[in-house]
Amino acid sequence: MISDNSENRYLVTNRHVLDRNFEKFGGWSLESVTVDGQYQPAVMDILGTVPQQITIIDPEPKFLDSDMVDLAVLPLDAPIGRAQTLTGEGRFNSLPASALATATDFAFGRITVGGRVITPGYPGIRGEVAERPILVGGVIASDPRHPAALGTDTYPSEVLTHSFSWNGMSGSPVLCYVPKALTWGDLGAGDFEEVLLVGVNAGHIKTSGETAGVLTRFVRADALAELLIGAGAQGIPTVSA
């Protein structure tokens, strides 16, 4: 979930989750979307999470013009009268727009092959989904400056990582450790890295055997920024600071 400068929230996921006409996932209609999660009021209040649940009736998810990009956002604060809070106050923790990586971050090597990535998600393993997210680590495997390619297949606006992904992790945020623009204070503290939201998990490359799921795709954050701006989000970064 992303919040903009006006504190409007946007649920971020894959297009195949919310668009019945995307690729081979047709044959159903979208009547409502329920967001079920937790709200943690304070960073250090680890045990003080509060269950939250909100339903959007007749949702209007937003997609990019290209039907090749598996990305969708759903405004949670815009549909006045269509949001029904079922549990709590409908408040969820979200990442600020300032955490988004930009096209410049990708183009000039701040995000590059071998960069460490972490993906929190809810993998459906053995038919069950955990109540808490599972954190999966890995590294960037393809050159982020170019569309991901594997054999004869090309994935526009996507990057490959060497990390596991399972069904149920669609739309998970992909976070990356990147070099920090250092100050004297950072040098003294030994703080040389920061974490950016570099993309949205789009699923694993389908293989078989023990290596199934070991190559995973994510849609780049600059494509997400373009979609958020089109959805009316304010203060979305488009270049590096």
Side-chain angles (χ1 to χ4, degrees):
M1 192 176 300
I2 295 288
S3 56
D4 68 6
N5 283 5
S6 299
E7 298 187 357
N8 293 313
R9 301 162 303 164
Y10 298 83
L11 177 68
V12 179
T13 187
N14 294 130
R15 185 166 182 169
H16 72 253
V17 175
L18 297 181
D19 183 5
R20 65 175 182 152
N21 296 314
F22 187 75
E23 294 184 350
K24 62 181 182 297
F25 297 98
W28 50 274
S29 60
L30 185 65
E31 297 179 355
S32 66
V33 172
T34 298
V35 184
D36 193 350
Q38 302 281 330
Y39 175 65
Q40 184 174 312
V43 173
M44 298 306 296
D45 189 10
I46 298 175
L47 299 179
T49 58
V50 182
Q52 305 286 325
Q53 190 179 76
I54 185 173
T55 290
I56 307 295
I57 307 299
D58 295 328
E60 295 181 359
K62 309 298 182 184
F63 314 115
L64 289 172
D65 291 337
S66 172
D67 58 5
M68 296 291 291
V69 182
D70 193 1
L71 197 61
V73 300
L74 177 63
L76 294 185
D77 296 299
I80 305 299
R82 286 183 287 160
Q84 299 180 0
T85 300
L86 305 179
T87 302
E89 299 178 358
R91 302 175 69 188
F92 298 92
N93 296 106
S94 60
L95 288 171
S98 59
L100 283 171
T102 68
T104 306
D105 292 323
F106 288 99
F108 291 95
R110 197 172 183 217
I111 300 162
T112 188
V113 174
R116 292 182 296 155
V117 292
I118 51 176
T119 304
Y122 294 85
I125 300 175
R126 299 174 182 171
E128 300 290 338
V129 177
E131 294 183 0
R132 299 285 182 176
I134 293 175
L135 194 65
V136 178
V139 297
I140 293 176
S142 68
D143 190 338
R145 298 172 299 177
H146 306 285
L150 193 65
T152 59
D153 296 325
T154 300
Y155 305 93
S157 301
E158 293 189 7
V159 178
L160 296 179
T161 65
H162 187 269
S163 61
F164 279 90
S165 178
W166 294 267
N167 292 337
M169 293 184 69
S170 293
S172 296
V174 180
L175 307 169
C176 183
Y177 292 92
V178 300
K180 192 174 184 180
L182 297 177
T183 67
W184 287 113
D186 296 322
L187 290 172
D191 187 8
F192 305 133
E193 290 181 315
E194 63 180 329
V195 177
L196 292 181
L197 173 61
V198 295
V200 178
N201 184 55
H204 61 272
I205 301 296
K206 295 186 182 302
T207 57
S208 59
E210 294 181 357
T211 61
V214 74
L215 280 179
T216 298
R217 305 154 35 222
F218 72 80
V219 183
R220 287 180 19 159
D222 52 328
L224 173 58
E226 179 185 349
L227 180 54
L228 286 166
I229 291 170
Q234 303 297 312
I236 305 299
T238 55
V239 295
S240 290

